[in-house]
């Protein structure tokens, strides 16, 4: 029994030079984070220095990071490190809502927001998007959704806005959404998994009550790790101390990321703060790349002009090719891979998402050229 | 604002050559895990290869590991990877118990078991230990605790046994505890944070219903990561799929360790399976070290003979020294550190725990000699 275990070791990560997967673009470690990973890799190395509260460790400066830098960075009163955005969403819902309550969320919400609500026993009322091609989420939609929940005699105790959503990269008017939610006394949680660490996001400016971010998705950290911030009035409930174990926060089960991922997030932080200042360049690159793909016959969905590196394309021309291509619907994945590009899910042709985040203009030119070559090659093959 | 961020980078882990902290001994990475950490460090690199379910990824062989190797290793029907033992305990309680139910657990339970129950809204009835010096947990104590909960008209839906407990390293008669719990129809969860990955533990042999283990504590993995196994009848509830998002398990929020820690656990697994075969040698080393400290006037608490590397000592002689030592109660920490040894919490002298796990006989001799020298030096200083 338990034989041939060597297959679990020495596994190489087989990815192409240019990875367009939105999941991966913001999580690439900085050199400093890579060093931290090796230095702090063992078990939960951070705990050597803990006197009972992870977020109060002074050396390494976890306390400075969690109670100083992160609240300023997110523009919010209290912050804790979590296992990821989804775990933050669940913790907030579990702490603030009662089973049977209602959560209102955008129709473009990430599946984990839905799962977090389901795990917390909440019913969901969605704010539908405007549909193709904009998929816009309107602030007024939140009013309607809250009203619909009221019609079910529901107690609405949480609203969530995905900012941007993970399909179309749309940035809704978060401040207007917050205003409407607050008119109804409902706290608004911002899911910033694709924004915090990529672009400027300030909870105070947007007037959101809770914010979650993802270290592995957008803060150049080794996963699993995320951040959760809350305004004081909600923080005291979310981060409530145990009734029997002093200094231990119930909703975090005492502490969360007790290992290397935390040190990678800290090590990357200066670079993350710096890269956010150049967000305009990222948007410019994204728009340029979108214009290239549109020139080739694909169609950008979502916000126009687009304001984020995450973009969704419809590509009827690629779909047509897939009908006759040798490799069928896998042709795009294979042909891109042959050209050193990955990140579009195998089998997708008619619609797919990608991200340009952190890629150089040269890499993006190479990627655009690859699409062009592939389309040309299949045109020739057909004629 | 947000200045002087360089302090978060380039932080060295300042630990001594010999670390006796029980938290750290079982989490030291194998060379293979260290390689995996570097290879898979970025963001959530594993997700490049995911078609929707983390535990079903075929390359790298996550599916083989989670659905093949781990169930066999733990001797249980279904296993998933979690963020750690505590997160597994909460998930099981949250899935299987209703708010207001009662959990029965040993009086030596780790604080996170208590927090998990508190987070799940459970009341707790403790099984008290026999107290000094054995701190034994008897199977009959579980019967009494369940009966006491019944007197409160409580619905007992979970029992937990810490195996071994994290203070005294005691291994209670888990099978007998399971038998009693089953007589009352209560599932028994084994907290194997200090056993799974260190010593042979087979859920089937012990007849436990749920088992949690800790990757960072005892499976040579980079944290945060753990494992949770369950018998089929409980697994179907704990790992229930979402009602709206197919292939996504609610209690795990879809997936848990979406990053490098999983690959480190896999990479260390062959070595972990191998090291368990030599558990008798670890117990022998622990007993030898305990006999050395006892020879020096300290007193081992807990099981005698001791059956685990985690040991708790009372040391009146060190406490006496602390009353007059220059550095007061910090003398032991400082004096050990001067000799290349760490892991006993700063300020502790009268009682402390330590672990001998994975240390060579030479290192243990060095550690024993350090205690001897320290005691001798302070004796001389006094006379």
């Amino acid at each position: 029994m338990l034989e041939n275990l060597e297959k679990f070791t020495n596994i190489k990560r087989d990815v192409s030079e240019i990875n367009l997967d939105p999941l991966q673009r913001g999580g690439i470690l900085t050199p400093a984070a890579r060093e931290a990973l090796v230095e702090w890799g063992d078990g939960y190395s951070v705990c050597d220095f803990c006197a009972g509260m992870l977020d109060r460790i002074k050396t390494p400066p976890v306390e400075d990071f969690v109670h100083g830098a992160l609240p300023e960075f997110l523009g919010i009163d209290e912050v804790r490190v979590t296992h990821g955005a989804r775990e933050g969403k669940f913790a907030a819902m579990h702490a603030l809502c009662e089973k049977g309550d209602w959560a209102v969320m955008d129709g473009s919400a990430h599946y984990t927001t839905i799962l977090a609500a389901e795990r917390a026993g909440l019913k969901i009322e969605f704010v539908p998007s405007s549909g193709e091609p904009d998929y816009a989420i309107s602030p007024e939609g939140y009013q309607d959704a809250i009203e619909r929940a009221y019609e079910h005699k529901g107690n609405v105790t949480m609203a969530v806005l995905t900012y941007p959503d993970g399909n179309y990269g749309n940035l809704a008017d978060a401040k207007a959404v917050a205003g409407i939610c607050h008119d109804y006394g409902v706290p608004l949680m911002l899911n910033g998994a694709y924004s915090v660490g990529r672009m400027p996001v300030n909870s105070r400016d947007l007037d959101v009550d809770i914010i979650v971010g993802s270290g592995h998705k957008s803060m150049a950290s080794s996963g699993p790790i995320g951040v959760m911030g809350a305004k004081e009035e909600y923080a005291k409930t979310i981060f409530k101390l145990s009734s029997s174990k002093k200094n231990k926060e119930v909703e975090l089960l005492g502490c969360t990321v007790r290992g290397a991922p935390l040190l990678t997030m800290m090590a990357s932080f200066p670079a993350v703060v710096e890269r956010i200042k150049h967000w305009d360049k990222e948007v410019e690159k994204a728009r340029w790349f979108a214009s290239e793909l549109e020139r080739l016959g694909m169609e950008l969905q979502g916000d126009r002009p687009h304001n984020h590196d995450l973009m969704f394309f419809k590509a009827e021309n690629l779909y047509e090719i897939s009908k006759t291509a040798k490799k069928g619907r896998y042709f795009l994945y294979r042909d891109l891979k042959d050209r050193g590009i990955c990140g579009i899910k195998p089998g997708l042709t008619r619609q797919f998402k990608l991200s340009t985040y952190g890629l150089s203009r040269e890499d993006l030119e190479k990627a655009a050229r690859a699409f062009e070559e592939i389309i040309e090659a299949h045109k020739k093959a057909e004629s």
Side-chain angles (χ1 to χ4, degrees), chain A residues 40-50 54 255-261:
Chain A
W40 296 84
D42 288 327
Y44 34 19
S45 53
V46 187
C47 306
D48 272 324
F49 307 92
C50 184
L54 175 72
C255 55
T256 55
V257 184
R258 39 205 186 278

Side-chain angles (χ1 to χ4, degrees), chain A residues 148-217:
Chain A
R148 282 199 303 279
Y150 283 176
E151 281 167 24
H152 298 295
K153 305 203 185 305
N155 192 23
V156 183
T157 50
M158 181 66 73
V160 186
L161 173 64
T162 320
Y163 186 83
D165 74 273
N167 269 328
Y168 308 104
N170 282 351
L171 289 159
D173 186 345
K175 194 171 182 171
V177 172
I180 284 170
C181 293
H182 293 161
D183 285 345
Y184 286 89
V186 177
L188 177 64
M189 173 155 62
L190 199 74
N191 177 4
Y194 273 116
S195 52
V196 172
R198 288 166 117 99
M199 55 178 275
V201 186
N202 187 292
S203 309
R204 224 160 264 132
D205 293 347
L206 301 175
D207 202 21
V208 300
D209 304 283
I210 300 148
I211 184 167
V212 297
S214 168
H216 36 263
K217 221 171 203 167

Side-chain angles (χ1 to χ4, degrees), chain A residues 110-327:
Chain A
H110 193 248
Y111 84 85
T112 56
T113 309
I114 296 165
L115 256 71
E118 188 174 352
R119 190 182 185 197
L122 308 184
K123 295 180 187 122
I124 299 173
E125 191 64 54
F126 288 102
V127 179
S129 84
S130 62
E132 192 175 345
D134 293 335
Y135 299 94
I137 296 292
S138 76
E140 298 70 33
Y142 276 80
Q143 177 163 358
D144 298 343
I146 293 171
E147 294 283 355
R148 282 199 303 279
Y150 283 176
E151 281 167 24
H152 298 295
K153 305 203 185 305
N155 192 23
V156 183
T157 50
M158 181 66 73
V160 186
L161 173 64
T162 320
Y163 186 83
D165 74 273
N167 269 328
Y168 308 104
N170 282 351
L171 289 159
D173 186 345
K175 194 171 182 171
V177 172
I180 284 170
C181 293
H182 293 161
D183 285 345
Y184 286 89
V186 177
L188 177 64
M189 173 155 62
L190 199 74
N191 177 4
Y194 273 116
S195 52
V196 172
R198 288 166 117 99
M199 55 178 275
V201 186
N202 187 292
S203 309
R204 224 160 264 132
D205 293 347
L206 301 175
D207 202 21
V208 300
D209 304 283
I210 300 148
I211 184 167
V212 297
S214 168
H216 36 263
K217 221 171 203 167
S218 301
M219 297 177 78
S221 313
S222 188
I225 186 165
V227 293
M228 168 167 52
K231 281 187 189 167
E232 188 51 42
E233 60 180 302
Y234 298 105
K236 64 189 178 200
T237 304
I238 301 174
F239 306 130
K240 194 178 62 142
L241 292 170
S242 164
S243 59
S244 63
K245 297 285 161 186
K246 63 166 193 168
N247 292 346
K248 302 294 185 184
E249 292 170 344
V250 179
E251 207 56 64
L252 306 180
L253 296 172
C255 55
T256 55
V257 184
R258 39 205 186 278
L262 175 55
L263 272 289
T264 66
M265 181 182 270
M266 288 166 60
S268 280
F269 190 66
V272 164
V273 169
E274 181 59 32
R275 76 188 190 184
I276 284 170
K277 296 178 189 159
H278 309 289
W279 176 241
D280 56 337
K281 296 275 183 304
E282 290 295 335
V283 173
E284 201 178 286
K285 275 191 293 171
R287 288 178 182 175
W288 176 82
F289 190 72
S291 72
E292 285 297 291
L293 292 207
E294 293 211 309
R295 191 176 57 78
L296 297 172
M298 289 157 263
E299 201 186 331
L300 176 68
Q301 307 293 295
D303 288 344
R304 296 187 85 97
H306 209 66
N307 301 308
H308 198 273
D309 59 275
L310 194 164
M311 295 179 288
F312 190 99
F313 290 91
K314 296 216 165 178
E316 285 299 322
N317 53 345
L318 296 178
Y319 175 61
E320 286 304 318
I321 292 172
S322 77
K323 290 179 179 172
T324 56
K326 254 191 205 156
K327 298 156 201 155

Side-chain angles (χ1 to χ4, degrees), chain A residues 26-46:
Chain A
I28 297 168
L29 298 186
T30 59
R34 205 163 280 281
E35 273 178 39
L37 191 64
V38 172
E39 180 75 17
W40 296 84
D42 288 327
Y44 34 19
S45 53
V46 187

